[in-house]
Amino acid sequence: MRSTPLAVAIAVVSATLVPPTVAHAADARTRSGAPAAPGVSLPGGRYEKTVSVKLRSERGTVVRYTLDGTTPTYRSPVYAPGKPLRISADTNLTAAAFDGRRSSATVSYGYLIRTRETPIAQLVVMSDVHTDSHATGDKRYEAFFDTIGSIFPRPDAILSNGDMINDNGDGRGADHKVVSEIFQANLARKGMTDTQVLVSNGNHDASLAAVRAGYPRTWFPDTGGGFYESDVNGVRLFTVDTETYNADTAQRTWLKNRLTQLTADPRNINRPILVQGHRPAPGTVMDGQQTANPLLTQDLADFPQAVYLSGHSHLNINDERSIAQKDFTAVNDGSMSYVEVEHGYQAITDKGLADRFEATTAQALFIEVYQDRTEIARVNMNADKHDIYEGGQWSANPQPPYASSGTLSGPTWTVRLDGRTDDEIKKNFRYTAAARNKTAPEFTSRQPLRAVTTAQGATVLRVTQAKDDQLVHHYDVTVTDTATGAKVVSSKVLSEYYFMPRPHSLDIPVAAAGTAGTRYTARVVAVDSYGNASPAESLTFGG
């Protein structure tokens, strides 16, 4: 998320997201004695006008809020009781109740503000469901479909873009029926009786025969090769099988011929054509990470109308590199099971700094196709902070309720196909390599670095998060023994930008700093996704 509000209708407004289960503030303290979380008058979701939101907390407390996606602190703006916050554009609202410096749990809501213009089609795009049982999937997908319903009550289509199950060549194809049962139950529960479900084949989806056997025929209407064409309320959609694409001459010929036929009609030159395939195409999203099928990139290059949607990598959609335009538009659709960042970074855990590239968050795209544009909203199904490992065991399936359901993982992307020719359309692309962000993060607090002793007696380097016009990706951190020059910490520490809310500060463990009489020098640089780096901040402590 941006570190500044996307838009609000009053001068200083913080946006907060609160789950429907806490729509009204509790009247009593929590068992720990901390204040109860505040309530909100209007849940998050999609609205077609400016909305007014009131916050409420128990007597004797004040509500503090933020609009920059960070956790409110006792220094955050105070909500004036009874005075609504007017939200006029896409916003995350985050709030907590305070009794002095003692805080409640934080609540967050995401608001998507649209006009009354009717879209041609609304589609939810998800991937990497990785579900194998009702025990792990039922409650999660009840929560996920509740989030879908809060934004698109009756979506025209839900695309599940590969890896519905966890088959690794070990005969788990029957699990597709479990996923089908979970999805069908929730479609019925939410009244989405006319919503198309369209599935692509992924590398963990067993055989094509198992996919066909697991779902209604309308969900996977291929003719034998794992690829097919659909009509979503007038929007053309092509589903490709990225497990075979590069070597499948028939599939390649089919796709190129159909795209050529469609775009030969002058009426279609400015209309998007959606293509879903599990694996990302080379030279597109996230700097080409975890890509496959170079011939797919080649085949789509003649069609700037193509919007290629891919999953597989689990790479998060907070990152602006998740959309890329050159000859066509490519969009990463995240993951419904857990998300990733690039390798080579460390995360702060209860065991100290650890090599981590995963987080137990779930994300999806909410796409609206209009006459002159396609709007792609990035939505968190669950962005609660939770370690991928719990008790040393893999734990990528946190169960609801989620305090972050429906929050926004970034500003909405708007794709326009402006021009009278293909070349003109490409020249007007917005999300290109040439237009990459060049603004570096900056530390704005008076004292961004502090050495803090925890309640357990450990020393941590507290870094107040820097600001960026998009997001701070990580911090280059070194802590050096001043006398010997030995580095006791040398790490690229993730900023936790994929959680909602992001922590206001990070406590980076400095294990050796408890040595009596030793002085240390810390140096910290904030870095964004594109490598733009802030000036270094330094601190000497200890001794």
Side-chain angles (χ1 to χ4, degrees), residues 54-65:
K54 294 182 180 180
L55 300 171
R56 182 169 66 89
S57 64
E58 61 182 296
R59 292 181 180 178
T61 65
V62 297
V63 177
R64 296 182 182 271
Y65 62 92

Side-chain angles (χ1 to χ4, degrees), residues 345 474-478 490-493 523-527 533 537:
Y345 299 92
H474 69 276
Y475 296 90
D476 286 338
V477 180
T478 57
S490 179
S491 177
K492 297 180 183 296
V493 181
R523 183 180 185 274
V524 179
V525 175
V527 186
E537 290 287 343

Side-chain angles (χ1 to χ4, degrees), residues 90-375:
D90 296 0
T91 303
N92 277 328
L93 172 61
T94 304
F98 282 78
D99 180 356
R101 294 194 178 187
R102 186 164 51 179
S103 170
S104 72
T106 301
V107 289
S108 299
Y109 277 98
Y111 298 90
L112 288 167
I113 307 300
R114 300 291 180 260
T115 67
R116 295 190 182 278
E117 180 183 3
T118 301
I120 297 169
Q122 294 179 322
L123 306 92
V124 180
V125 186
M126 61 177 72
S127 68
D128 299 273
V129 167
H130 287 296
T131 293
D132 56 11
S133 71
H134 286 282
T136 58
D138 282 357
K139 289 183 179 179
R140 279 172 60 84
Y141 276 86
E142 283 183 12
F144 292 165
F145 270 82
D146 285 344
T147 297
I148 291 172
S150 72
I151 299 172
F152 293 167
R154 301 290 185 273
D156 295 293
I158 294 175
L159 312 186
S160 188
N161 200 4
D163 281 7
M164 300 283 279
I165 65 169
N166 294 309
D167 186 90
N168 292 285
D170 51 3
R172 299 188 63 90
D175 288 349
H176 282 295
K177 292 183 178 180
V178 174
V179 177
S180 179
E181 290 167 359
I182 292 172
F183 273 53
Q184 289 187 74
N186 282 289
L187 289 165
R189 182 176 65 89
K190 300 301 292 185
M192 299 176 183
T193 53
D194 295 327
T195 297
Q196 296 184 65
V197 178
L198 301 168
V199 176
S200 76
N201 182 45
N203 55 299
H204 290 288
D205 278 330
S207 65
L208 292 178
V211 176
R212 294 185 201 106
Y215 303 103
R217 182 62 181 160
T218 54
W219 292 20
F220 191 66
D222 76 320
T223 57
F227 55 91
Y228 58 91
E229 181 178 350
S230 307
D231 182 312
V232 180
N233 207 30
V235 176
R236 304 312 300 180
L237 169 71
F238 293 87
T239 298
V240 297
D241 186 349
T242 57
E243 301 313 296
T244 62
Y245 188 88
N246 236 43
D248 188 346
T249 303
Q251 182 177 183
R252 292 186 60 209
T253 300
W254 161 80
L255 180 64
K256 289 186 291 182
N257 285 348
R258 286 297 295 130
L259 293 178
T260 299
Q261 291 166 5
L262 286 171
T263 56
D265 186 339
R267 294 173 298 179
N268 292 332
I269 191 168
N270 303 115
R271 294 180 180 176
I273 300 171
L274 304 184
V275 183
Q276 72 162 336
H278 181 60
R279 296 179 189 253
T284 60
V285 293
M286 294 299 289
D287 296 330
Q289 297 178 68
Q290 301 190 44
T291 59
N293 300 301
L295 294 181
L296 179 58
T297 301
Q298 176 182 310
D299 292 346
L300 293 177
D302 291 332
F303 306 101
Q305 297 82 8
V307 180
Y308 180 61
L309 308 164
S310 64
H312 177 65
S313 69
H314 292 238
L315 289 166
N316 64 87
I317 58 177
N318 308 72
D319 197 312
E320 294 300 325
R321 293 174 296 168
S322 281
I323 185 170
Q325 292 180 311
K326 183 182 178 184
D327 296 314
F328 58 95
T329 302
V331 185
N332 169 29
D333 60 38
S335 166
M336 293 292 284
S337 52
Y338 64 91
V339 303
E340 297 184 8
V341 299
E342 310 94 312
H343 291 238
Y345 299 92
Q346 291 192 306
I348 300 168
T349 75
D350 58 359
K351 304 297 183 183
L353 287 175
D355 294 337
R356 289 280 195 277
F357 59 90
E358 318 107 325
T360 56
T361 64
Q363 302 174 324
L365 302 177
F366 286 69
I367 297 180
E368 295 184 270
V369 180
Y370 293 88
Q371 291 290 348
D372 64 343
R373 69 197 184 280
T374 300
E375 295 188 354

Side-chain angles (χ1 to χ4, degrees), residues 494-506:
L494 292 165
S495 71
E496 301 188 353
Y497 63 87
Y498 34 79
F499 293 131
M500 175 56 65
R502 299 188 313 277
H504 178 265
S505 60
L506 301 174

